[in-house]
Amino acid sequence: MRKQFLEAGKIVNTHGVSGDVKVQSWCDTPEVLAQFDTLYFSPSEPVQVRKATVHKGCVIMRLAGVSTCEAAEALKGRVLYLNRADVDLPDDLAFIQDMIGLTVYDVRTESVIGTLKEVLTTNPAHDMYVIRREGAPDALIPACPPFLVSVDLDAGRLTVRTIEGLLE
């Protein structure tokens, strides 16, 4: 079952003296996180975003009800969530959190490689899939064509096409 509320970022510091917070974005880009009007500390604890701007790779936010540096300081370390229903995700994209744990199948060898452990988003050209393999070191597979064949969340399967030597 897919989670309704997804981790979107973490409040890492205060910013200024008016109660703004600095948020480390866990979205594709900080600009994505800055677009939300409502985020959540928990499913029953929504918070209105009054203002959000991207600054040096983070998002500076003014949250409703937070108007002092002390109030902002008390929020340090809190995780912010977004509601899946608030996101209009194109059909050809999936949330990384939904993909973790998928069985990874290789069409070249017609076999299961392992399970998706992590998606590294630090490569500017494309993401990298970290595949946990039983009895072998983790494998890295580029998350782009021609390596990525398909993602089927309902079937719990990520299909890739490896090349000779990629998994060794």
Side-chain angles (χ1 to χ4, degrees):
M1 186 171 105
R2 297 182 189 137
K3 297 189 291 186
Q4 184 66 34
F5 292 88
L6 305 170
E7 297 174 349
K10 182 178 181 178
I11 298 174
V12 294
N13 213 340
T14 62
H15 184 82
V17 295
S18 300
D20 291 352
V21 293
K22 180 178 180 181
V23 180
Q24 177 186 20
S25 174
W26 295 338
C27 298
D28 285 349
T29 66
E31 288 82 7
V32 171
L33 182 59
Q35 294 175 5
F36 289 91
D37 296 326
T38 304
L39 293 170
Y40 300 80
F41 288 121
S42 72
S44 62
E45 193 178 359
V47 60
Q48 296 300 311
V49 179
R50 299 288 185 225
K51 182 180 176 185
T53 57
V54 176
H55 179 70
K56 296 184 179 180
C58 288
V59 182
I60 306 302
M61 288 187 177
R62 176 157 302 149
L63 303 175
V66 181
S67 58
T68 66
C69 192
E70 293 77 19
E73 179 73 30
L75 297 175
K76 273 177 69 171
R78 298 276 314 259
V79 173
L80 290 168
Y81 297 84
L82 59 89
N83 186 338
R84 177 186 298 275
D86 295 339
V87 180
D88 186 20
L89 196 63
D91 291 337
D92 61 337
L93 294 179
F95 290 108
I96 290 173
Q97 294 176 46
D98 291 340
M99 294 176 60
I100 302 301
L102 292 180
T103 299
V104 182
Y105 178 82
D106 183 4
V107 295
R108 183 180 68 88
T109 62
E110 298 181 351
S111 63
V112 171
I113 299 171
T115 58
L116 184 63
K117 174 182 173 183
E118 182 179 3
V119 178
L120 301 176
T121 59
T122 55
N123 185 333
H126 51 75
D127 294 345
M128 294 291 288
Y129 294 137
V130 180
I131 312 301
R132 178 180 292 126
R133 301 184 299 163
E134 195 167 316
D138 291 347
L140 289 175
I141 297 177
C144 63
F147 302 100
L148 173 60
V149 175
S150 66
V151 177
D152 188 339
L153 296 176
D154 295 328
R157 183 169 164 155
L158 171 65
T159 304
V160 298
R161 178 179 292 108
T162 61
I163 58 175
E164 190 75 34
L166 183 65
L167 300 177
E168 282 80 40

